[in-house]
Structure formats: C-alpha cells, structure tokens
Amino acid sequence: MIDSVNCNINFKGYDARPLYALVMRNTDGFALNGITRELREIGAKHGFKVLLEDKYSPFEDESLKTDTKKKNISLVQKASEFISGQNRPYVTSWMQDAIYFLKGKILVDDCTSSSFDALSETLGFKKEEVPARNFVAGGNLYILRDGEDEKILVGKSESIKNVLKMFPNREIIRLPQADFHIDLFVRPLKENVVLVADDDMTLDMLKKAAEKLEELVEQSEGDENLDKALSRLYGVIGQMEAGRRNSDYRNTDKVISTLEENDFKVVRTPGRVYKTRFGFSGYGFSIINKLNYINALVFEDKNGELCYISNKSNLDKEIGITPGLAKKIGLDFEKEFKNAISPYVKSENVYFVEGQPQEKNGLSSHIPYLLEKLGGGIHCLCAEISKDTLEEQSCGQL
C-alpha cells in the first residue's frame, strides 16, 4: 500500500478476504458491547475474533497469549497500546476511518499532531515512515484484487493527490459521491463483483408494495392499522424521492454506470432507504439512512465461504409492517436483499446486527440509531485485521 523509506507494504484488502479479527473501541458516547456480543457469536461460527477496547482497560484476548505466532500477539498488543495510550482522545469509535492494519504497520488518521507523534513513538517508526498526512478514510475507499494486480475504488471527495501518494502504480477508479463515504452505497465482494444500492430498484419495490397494501386497505373496510401503515409507507417513498432531488450527493445510477464502464460486475440491490436533512454534520442536504445493508463487513470464513454482516433496520416496525403483512405485500426488506445477493452469498451466511436499544445514559449501542442519528454503521465501527496482514514479510514485525 505504501512505498516507505525502508520497504514496500502490500495491503490486500477491503474486498472479501480471510479475516483474523475485528477491532472496535468504546469512546465517550459509545457503548458497543451489545454489538460486539453479536459479532463474537458470528465469529465463533465463522472463525474470527472481535477485540473491544474501552476507557477502562486495553482490549485483551486470552487465546492470543497461547498463540505460537508471536507476531500476532505483537500486532494486537501494539494496537492496544496505541489506542489506549496518551493519544486516546484522538482515536474515535469509527475505527474503519481511523486505522489501517497493514503488513508490518498500523496507519492512523492524522487528526492532530499529538496523535501523529504518539503513533510514531508507540510503534517505533520514524515520522517520515508514517504517511498519515496523506491518509484517505477507510470508509471512502476499497482495494480490490484483480488477478495479481490491485484496483482502488475511492470517492471523488478525496484528494486525488493524496490517493496517488498512498497508492502509487495502482489503477484508481473514482466513484461519484452518493453519500458521505462510498461504503454507504457500494460493497465489493471479490473477483470484481461489486454490490450497489440501486435506488431505482428500491423505490420500485416500495411502490409495488404500496399498491398491494392499498388493495388490502380497500378490502379491509376501514382497518385503522392498515391505513396507518399505508400512510407511513407513502411517506417513506415521498421522503426518498425528495431526497434524490434535494441531496448534495449523486444518484447511484451514476455510480453503477461508472463501475460498468470500468468492467466491474455490478449486482444491483435494494440496499438502502433514506431521507435527507439540511445541515447534518456540517454539510448541505445530507443523507439520513433509515435502512442500509450495503455498509457491511464481508470476508471469506474458515470454510472458504463468503460471509456478509450488515446493519439491522427497524423501518418495517416504524411503518407498521408485520411479518404476515410483509409476506402479503412482498416487502420483507432482509429477504429481498438476501435474494439479490444469493448468487454470491448463502442466505445462512448473511447477518443483520442490531446491538442494544438506547439506554437512559444515552450511550450508543444500537445500530439503527447509529445509522440514522450519527451517519455510520457496522463497517464504519470496525477496523479489520486480515489473515494476510499477519503473514511474514520483509519489513519485519510490529
């Protein structure tokens, strides 16, 4: 990934690959324990670890203490030292954007000079060997294998100069920005297959369901619950259509055409439902996700099968769609998404993580809340340590 002073680091990631561990952390306002519990259950089945660091103690994994590959222990320990050290205030819970785990190195976003100094000191690198000043947020790029080569997908909001510095001699495809980061509307699998949230497909699905629900309302002779569900469903449709007109971001049809022009196999999915809000996070008309299945962790599990972990949505409950009603009108959001990706991911390997509902203390451990109120999901919360990160290479160990 980085041509540094002493060595060439080769980072093969963010498309689907064997996964060693996910790294998460609690910060002020975040209590991710409920989410990590769900992820650990999935990890026990599919063969990966989940490491959670919080304000009270560095993360620790007992199994690492007996790991014969000392470099594995070293990598995790040094990450723990860095995250929980003097630079703690500068590393957020949005770990995907904050840290990259590479072969022989950890890179961190240069939020402040303090974090930059702390990184160099903790990991024992010379400052010039840590190119944080050219950092591109993990949520706004993907690195894909293409045979022996690599391709870079990156959002157009990133500085092309920074991208070229970080990824010399790579093919770079710049995607229209259809949300704050590209991991909210595209999700690479492998072998140049990319899932995209097709907003036209989603709206078509919603409108067909509304037509069927309208028929049920007419047949029901005044069922108040059906009337309310129909009104809410039309409200969701109207908000999304208005969002497409008003948002400062591009429609995903522009993203799809860009990917197809660059020879990617695009898989269209009903992957997101949104509205817009003015002034959210300091921007103009920003997208507020009511449902987002594209923001996901994807990897090859211990059996060599693709595993897909995404965000639970409460949109069906908010509308008033029960499981029985969903079947009648053809609007089971999770089922429709699973069907769209079924040629590539088995249904039993697709998970929707929810976490815990908001507690009175206001700490965030509920995925639907994080998506709608804070703008991020499960992929944003996790830094991935791939198994190939732990392989021996000429730069030595962390």
Side-chain angles (χ1 to χ4, degrees), residues 378-389:
I378 194 69
H379 184 256
C380 308
L381 291 169
C382 299
E384 298 146 288
I385 304 178
S386 67
K387 287 186 177 179
D388 61 15
T389 300

Side-chain angles (χ1 to χ4, degrees), residues 3 53 142 172 186 248 251 271 356:
D3 290 317
E53 186 273 336
Y142 285 107
I172 297 173
V186 298
D248 292 337
N251 293 331
Q356 295 173 319

Side-chain angles (χ1 to χ4, degrees), residues 305-334:
E305 297 180 349
L306 284 187
C307 184
Y308 195 98
I309 305 174
S310 191
N311 307 291
K312 188 75 174 177
S313 173
N314 288 333
L315 183 57
D316 50 355
K317 295 178 182 178
E318 291 178 14
I319 296 172
I321 299 176
T322 63
L325 182 57
K327 188 173 182 180
K328 290 180 181 178
I329 65 176
L331 193 59
D332 183 325
F333 292 110
E334 292 182 2

Side-chain angles (χ1 to χ4, degrees), residues 189-336:
L189 299 182
K190 61 180 183 178
E191 297 175 351
N192 286 329
V193 175
V194 181
L195 307 184
V196 181
D198 185 338
D199 296 337
D200 289 324
M201 174 187 284
T202 302
L203 282 167
D204 184 59
M205 178 184 72
L206 293 171
K207 290 176 180 179
K208 286 180 178 178
E211 291 175 2
K212 293 179 181 178
L213 182 52
E214 197 164 338
E215 293 175 3
L216 291 178
V217 169
E218 292 174 358
Q219 296 168 10
S220 70
E221 299 180 353
D223 186 314
E224 186 176 340
N225 290 329
L226 289 180
D227 278 337
K228 289 181 178 179
L230 181 60
S231 176
R232 294 184 189 117
L233 180 53
Y234 274 127
V236 169
I237 293 169
Q239 286 179 335
M240 187 165 174
E241 288 183 327
R244 297 188 79 184
R245 294 191 301 269
N246 298 332
S247 174
D248 292 337
Y249 295 109
R250 302 296 183 186
N251 293 331
T252 52
D253 54 359
K254 304 292 186 184
V255 176
I256 290 170
S257 62
T258 300
L259 288 168
E260 290 178 338
E261 288 166 4
N262 285 277
D263 298 322
F264 288 97
K265 168 64 177 176
V266 173
V267 179
R268 299 167 184 253
T269 74
R272 67 175 184 170
V273 178
Y274 62 87
K275 60 182 181 179
T276 53
R277 181 187 305 165
F278 184 78
F280 180 65
S281 298
Y283 293 89
F285 281 99
S286 298
I287 285 177
I288 308 300
N289 284 282
K290 300 292 293 182
L291 174 153
N292 194 304
Y293 296 152
I294 292 295
N295 185 265
L297 303 163
V298 184
F299 57 90
E300 291 182 355
D301 73 0
K302 61 185 180 182
N303 300 316
E305 297 180 349
L306 284 187
C307 184
Y308 195 98
I309 305 174
S310 191
N311 307 291
K312 188 75 174 177
S313 173
N314 288 333
L315 183 57
D316 50 355
K317 295 178 182 178
E318 291 178 14
I319 296 172
I321 299 176
T322 63
L325 182 57
K327 188 173 182 180
K328 290 180 181 178
I329 65 176
L331 193 59
D332 183 325
F333 292 110
E334 292 182 2
K335 180 180 178 181
E336 294 302 319

